[in-house]
Amino acid sequence: MSDQTSSQIDQIRQGYAFTEPSIVLGGALEGGEVVPDAVVRLPLSSMNRHGLVAGATGTGKTVTLQVLAEQLSDAGVPVFLADIKGDLTGMATPATANAKIDERMGALAQEWSGTAYPLELLHLGGQGVGTSVRATVTSFGPTLLSKVLRLNKTQESSLGLVFHWADQQGLALLDLLDLTTVIQHLVSDEGKGDLKGLGGLAKSTAGVILRELVALSAAGGDDFFGEPEFDTSDLMRTTAEGRGVISCLELPGVQDKPVLFSTFLMWLLADLFQDLPEVGNPDRPTLVFFFDEAHLLFDDASDAFLDSVEQAVRLIRSKGVGVFFVTQTPKDVPDSVLAQLGNRVQHALRAHTPNDAKALRATVSTFPTSEYDLAEVLTSMGTGEAAITVLSEKGAPTPVAVTRLRAPQGRIGPSEEGVLAQVVEASQIRTRYAEVADRESAYEMLTARLQKAAASAEAAAAAERVERVERAEPERERSSGSRRSRAEDEGLVGQVVGSTAFRSMMRSAGTVIGREITRSIFGTGRRR
């Protein structure tokens, strides 16, 4: 076994001897001891081939993510992190040397120094610390929103028709209330003729869409959809010193709302893909982002949603963007997505149950053939150790390397509140997204249209009443009494029509009716 291990170590030395810029992950293990000259690396040019960081709870996945993010930042590559537990804010604080770090880094024979990294704190629409991230419904588009709402093809087509009509009418769909208003208008008596020539919107289909919108709203969609919309180019920043900015999206407030998390991911990928130019295979990635607790993304996801994720992951590589999923076992990631992940960092797994044993066998089968007994290795590795295989500079899988990972240079765990306050205060983008905007959009425009129509109808009714009064008089009344009676009637009508109270009533009539219609549709009389 020792000879086999030595042979594997020789393969590791050769397989990871990259000449191009790379990230140092750690050193290979032989007999439980580090072999300092068998350095395990990951080429920067392979980072846009995506990756997976997996392992049981407590095996060091989040710390591995931190090691990757820190070195990417040092290499001038911007990083995006989805931080479910809030543990990754420690990168804003230099780590303090201690006996464990000295022992680990001494065995690896690698340099180490406590370092603070440039951090940008983000949160979804008001739930957290830092800069708010929002998107408009219009920018989300009908196709992507249909995936999130789990609509079938007929419902998706109908939603596309709604967006098309809103675009034609110049109705901005900024939040979920705008979209709901438009759908309700198009199936109402006042608006059902607006789709004449374009087809129609069945009330049953509209009902399904509206119910799904209510569910999305309850899952936090109201916080996420709106203005000002986050510009994904703000994720691509570097500091004056050339270090990549690490954008950390804190999600502790929405970890029980996977629909909101999934919604943001899909919009982010789609927006980046739309805006970024084709770069092919760059020497280093344009952006790398990590999704911790990735099972939240895929739990209870529809087939349509999974297809969308697969397509986004496959296509965004040509934009120079690398995607790394962080989860407990590879089976948490659908096969169609897993096939796109060329770089693997597998921490220890447990085999306490039949399902655990099945997951272990499935994990072993995804690794290249090696001289390791991976079924044994993966259940015996310690915290901060992992079985690694990556794509070389030529795109070929490297030999499997059981590796002791290096320690991060930022603090492990969250930073102090005072440090986070300084990070937020130093943000160059926070003020742009601080104030929630509420400009005129579909809700206001359609409500104003209803008010105007109601006021016109009331004015026409008043004019008709005056005309009826005039016709009811004798055709020719020439006596002074008749003239006085007519003058009194005309004076009375004129006083009523010209009175301030009547004019006020006319101006407000549409508003009252509009509120009643709005209330009957949405259950509330004013915009939330």
Side-chain angles (χ1 to χ4, degrees):
M1 181 66 181
S2 177
D3 291 341
Q4 290 179 337
T5 305
S6 298
S7 174
Q8 187 71 24
I9 290 295
D10 290 338
Q11 294 179 37
I12 291 170
R13 288 192 182 98
Q14 299 174 8
Y16 290 86
F18 306 126
T19 57
E20 295 183 0
S22 59
I23 287 174
V24 176
L25 297 174
L29 292 172
E30 182 179 22
E33 300 296 327
V34 176
V35 181
D37 64 340
V39 181
V40 178
R41 302 179 176 88
L42 198 169
L44 286 174
S45 60
S46 296
M47 293 291 285
N48 69 327
R49 304 295 180 92
H50 311 316
L52 175 72
V53 179
T57 300
T59 56
K61 299 187 301 296
T62 302
V63 176
T64 297
L65 189 159
Q66 184 172 336
V67 168
L68 292 170
E70 290 177 356
Q71 293 192 58
L72 284 167
S73 176
D74 287 335
V77 178
V79 176
F80 170 82
L81 301 166
D83 185 11
I84 295 290
K85 295 172 290 189
D87 292 343
L88 293 168
T89 59
M91 285 184 285
T93 304
T96 302
N98 55 47
K100 289 185 177 179
I101 291 178
D102 291 343
E103 179 183 359
R104 179 174 289 264
M105 298 309 299
L108 291 170
Q110 297 173 10
E111 295 183 1
W112 182 94
S113 62
T115 307
Y117 288 85
L119 209 62
E120 181 71 53
L121 297 179
L122 307 174
H123 64 268
L124 287 185
Q127 300 186 33
V129 178
T131 300
S132 296
V133 176
R134 298 182 182 87
T136 65
V137 172
T138 292
S139 73
F140 226 72
T143 302
L144 183 55
L145 189 57
S146 295
K147 304 296 185 186
V148 175
L149 297 177
R150 302 179 179 91
L151 303 182
N152 61 34
K153 291 183 178 180
T154 299
Q155 294 156 356
E156 180 177 346
S157 176
S158 295
L159 185 61
L161 185 61
V162 172
F163 272 77
H164 175 71
W165 182 82
D167 291 342
Q168 282 189 328
Q169 300 298 313
L171 299 174
L173 303 176
L174 304 183
D175 53 27
L176 296 181
L177 182 56
D178 287 326
L179 179 57
T180 305
T181 304
V182 170
I183 293 173
Q184 286 286 1
H185 169 74
L186 292 175
V187 295
S188 68
D189 292 337
E190 295 82 4
K192 61 185 179 182
D194 290 341
L195 291 179
K196 187 177 181 180
L198 296 176
L201 179 62
K203 286 191 175 182
S204 58
T205 300
V208 172
I209 297 173
L210 289 172
R211 286 194 296 273
E212 294 298 334
L213 287 173
V214 168
L216 180 58
S217 176
D222 285 334
D223 294 322
F224 173 65
F225 286 105
E227 288 188 316
E229 184 174 79
F230 187 76
D231 187 347
T232 50
S233 65
D234 286 329
L235 300 177
M236 319 295 291
R237 292 174 295 132
T238 57
T239 66
E241 297 79 21
R243 301 169 79 194
V245 173
I246 301 173
S247 299
C248 185
L249 178 72
E250 290 196 278
L251 296 170
V254 296
Q255 58 182 322
D256 60 339
K257 300 173 181 176
V259 173
L260 177 60
F261 178 41
S262 303
T263 300
F264 172 73
L265 169 64
M266 289 308 301
W267 173 73
L268 178 63
L269 290 178
D271 198 65
L272 286 169
F273 181 76
Q274 180 178 351
D275 291 346
L276 293 176
E278 292 279 346
V279 295
N281 292 306
D283 294 336
R284 63 189 61 215
T286 306
L287 170 74
V288 175
F289 58 88
F290 300 85
F291 294 94
D292 202 358
E293 303 292 341
H295 68 276
L296 291 176
L297 174 65
F298 301 111
D299 282 351
D300 300 322
S302 66
D303 291 341
F305 182 79
L306 295 179
D307 289 344
S308 189
V309 174
E310 177 192 354
Q311 184 179 23
V313 171
R314 184 174 67 252
L315 296 178
I316 205 167
R317 183 180 70 81
S318 64
K319 308 285 187 172
V321 176
V323 183
F324 278 68
F325 295 99
V326 185
T327 189
Q328 293 198 7
T329 69
K331 71 182 182 67
D332 291 336
V333 181
D335 290 345
S336 58
V337 177
L338 192 63
Q340 309 294 323
L341 312 182
N343 303 298
R344 304 288 181 87
V345 179
Q346 179 64 59
H347 288 269
L349 290 174
R350 308 290 180 243
H352 300 315
T353 69
N355 283 338
D356 290 342
K358 182 178 179 181
L360 176 61
R361 290 193 297 271
T363 300
V364 170
S365 68
T366 64
F367 277 82
T369 302
S370 70
E371 297 180 9
Y372 292 115
D373 181 354
L374 280 180
E376 178 182 347
V377 168
L378 292 181
T379 55
S380 61
M381 291 186 300
T383 301
E385 298 176 352
I388 295 174
T389 180
V390 303
L391 294 180
S392 69
E393 303 153 312
K394 298 179 180 180
T398 58
V400 179
V402 178
T403 306
R404 180 163 297 162
L405 296 161
R406 59 178 286 117
Q409 299 185 152
R411 177 177 178 175
I412 297 176
S415 289
E416 301 291 340
E417 290 186 4
V419 174
L420 297 182
Q422 293 176 5
V423 171
V424 172
E425 187 64 28
S427 171
Q428 298 180 3
I429 65 173
R430 179 174 60 90
T431 55
R432 259 189 291 156
Y433 303 105
E435 294 294 330
V436 178
D438 190 16
R439 63 183 173 93
E440 185 179 62
S441 55
Y443 173 84
E444 289 83 3
M445 296 173 73
L446 287 176
T447 300
R449 183 183 299 183
L450 286 172
Q451 292 173 355
K452 183 178 180 181
S456 298
E458 187 63 27
E464 184 178 349
R465 288 195 295 271
V466 171
E467 185 178 350
R468 284 200 303 268
V469 170
E470 292 178 342
R471 286 200 303 266
E473 297 176 352
E475 185 177 355
R476 294 286 184 182
E477 293 186 35
R478 299 188 179 278
S479 67
S480 59
S482 297
R483 284 197 299 272
R484 282 196 302 273
S485 177
R486 180 178 180 182
E488 289 172 359
D489 289 341
E490 289 178 345
L492 178 61
V493 172
Q495 290 173 21
V496 171
V497 174
S499 69
T500 303
F502 183 83
R503 290 198 301 269
S504 177
M505 181 273 290
M506 291 297 295
R507 286 195 299 269
S508 64
T511 302
V512 173
I513 296 174
R515 277 203 293 264
E516 290 174 355
I517 293 175
T518 301
R519 194 174 292 116
S520 69
I521 294 173
F522 306 112
T524 179
R526 61 193 177 97
R527 187 171 187 173
R528 286 171 288 176

